[in-house]
Amino acid sequence: DVQLVESGGGSMQAGGSLRLSCAVSGDIDDRYCLAWFRQVPGKRREGVAAIDEEGHPAYADSEKGRATISKDKAKTTLYLDMRSAKYEDSAMYYCAGDPRLFYRGCTTAIEGTGELFDDWGQGTQVTVS
């Protein structure tokens, strides 16, 4: 069983920066794919960023240059650093993980709506005004 718990959301002004965190625990190994998704009510869930087992990141086009995904060496915490926040970044942000996605299988999984990921956190709300 895997637990993903997000934190760090809140309200912020456009142009600002924030860091989201996701505490990862449970039965995982080194080849665990981790990603961030977000969703606005009434719209489809979209991928933001992913990081594979070797630490290679991938970003949605809308986030390239503005977001950085990372994980600590112990691989127990996933981060998403966002800069130059826009109103359009307002959404519920979810941490997602899956043990079956490796390398490009992991980094390309954010192109979908998260259907390839088995494990999800409860989400943390980000509001940009």
Side-chain angles (χ1 to χ4, degrees):
D1 198 19
V2 176
Q3 296 80 44
L4 305 174
V5 180
E6 302 94 336
S7 61
S11 298
M12 61 185 299
Q13 291 190 336
S17 302
L18 82 159
R19 164 172 274 200
L20 303 181
S21 301
C22 174
V24 183
S25 61
D27 186 19
I28 62 173
D29 59 26
D30 288 345
R31 297 190 298 175
Y32 193 71
C33 170
L34 286 163
W36 288 98
F37 284 80
R38 64 187 181 191
Q39 188 169 24
V40 175
K43 294 189 176 181
R44 60 182 286 180
R45 186 169 55 198
E46 62 178 9
V48 177
I51 188 165
D52 72 10
E53 65 274 26
E54 293 189 352
H56 300 124
Y59 301 95
D61 288 343
S62 62
E63 303 308 315
K64 288 180 180 177
R66 296 196 307 122
T68 301
I69 187 171
S70 61
K71 54 187 177 183
D72 65 353
K73 289 185 177 181
K75 301 177 184 178
T76 58
T77 307
L78 177 72
Y79 301 101
L80 180 68
D81 291 290
M82 297 180 66
R83 302 171 294 279
S84 303
K86 303 177 182 178
Y87 174 78
E88 304 87 87
D89 293 327
S90 298
M92 184 71 80
Y93 283 72
Y94 296 94
C95 175
D98 199 281
R100 303 162 298 171
L101 301 173
F102 312 128
Y103 301 113
R104 270 189 63 81
C106 174
T107 54
T108 57
I110 57 170
E111 296 173 6
T113 58
E115 62 275 8
L116 297 178
F117 290 85
D118 265 359
D119 303 318
W120 292 86
Q122 82 289 349
T124 185
Q125 179 69 39
V126 172
T127 302
V128 182
S129 58

